[in-house]
Amino acid sequence: MRPLEVLDLDALMGIERRAYSHPWTEAIFRDCLRAGYTCWAMDQQGELTGYAITSLAVGEYHILNLTVRPESQGRGYGRFLLRALVNWAKGQGAETAFLEVRPSNRTALNLYLSEGFNEVGLRKGYYPAARGREDALVMARNL
């Protein structure tokens, strides 16, 4: 784990486009870096394996984007990254971690549930989808 840098954006965008039907744009990632969000890179043998964009304020830790490259999924990297984020947030004094997830993303949802996150809300029409919009489950975990 290390801080994400602008130089990582080419590799990151390759992963983002392969991982999502509606990926974030490079401009969004650049804005997150410029705005001072906490952005993490996870390297495996010198290659970007995953990344996370997070925000910490007033005791709340928001995980905005947590992604593992598709060809590395199913090997525990997402769990490793999530645990590292939670441990870092605890060390910074955060009291609660929040994230949103598509109900259709069963793999991610099961990961979050297994790591102690619970559903605390619903955001109607939050995500773009192939046919309109998809809701987001809002999940939280006390730290």
Side-chain angles (χ1 to χ4, degrees):
M1 294 283 300
R2 62 172 175 77
L4 186 72
E5 301 173 359
V6 172
L7 294 173
D8 295 312
L9 288 179
D10 283 345
L12 180 149
M13 289 308 302
I15 295 168
E16 184 77 4
R17 288 183 189 112
R18 290 192 316 276
Y20 299 109
S21 61
H22 296 83
W24 283 17
T25 65
E26 185 173 329
I28 292 171
F29 287 104
R30 285 185 182 280
D31 287 346
C32 290
L33 286 165
R34 192 175 352 204
Y37 286 29
T38 308
C39 304
W40 298 102
M42 182 175 59
D43 288 332
Q44 180 71 18
Q45 299 174 346
E47 269 191 81
L48 187 65
T49 304
Y51 50 88
I53 310 299
T54 68
S55 175
L56 175 63
V58 196
E60 293 185 354
Y61 189 55
H62 294 264
I63 301 171
L64 305 170
N65 185 324
L66 188 158
T67 304
V68 172
R69 67 182 180 176
E71 56 273 20
S72 296
Q73 292 176 2
R75 299 181 189 169
Y77 293 121
R79 185 175 307 278
F80 173 85
L81 184 53
L82 182 60
R83 286 180 178 173
L85 297 173
V86 166
N87 287 333
W88 180 86
K90 284 181 189 178
Q92 300 300 308
E95 299 169 3
T96 309
F98 293 93
L99 56 82
E100 288 91 14
V101 63
R102 290 176 185 264
S104 63
N105 189 345
R106 299 303 302 172
T107 302
L109 182 57
N110 288 335
L111 169 64
Y112 302 142
L113 289 169
S114 73
E115 290 295 320
F117 283 83
N118 295 293
E119 184 179 339
V120 296
L122 181 71
R123 296 191 198 281
K124 291 281 193 184
Y126 186 77
Y127 291 110
R131 292 189 177 151
R133 310 285 299 176
E134 183 176 357
D135 297 341
L137 299 176
V138 180
M139 303 190 79
R141 175 183 162 178
N142 289 328
L143 302 180

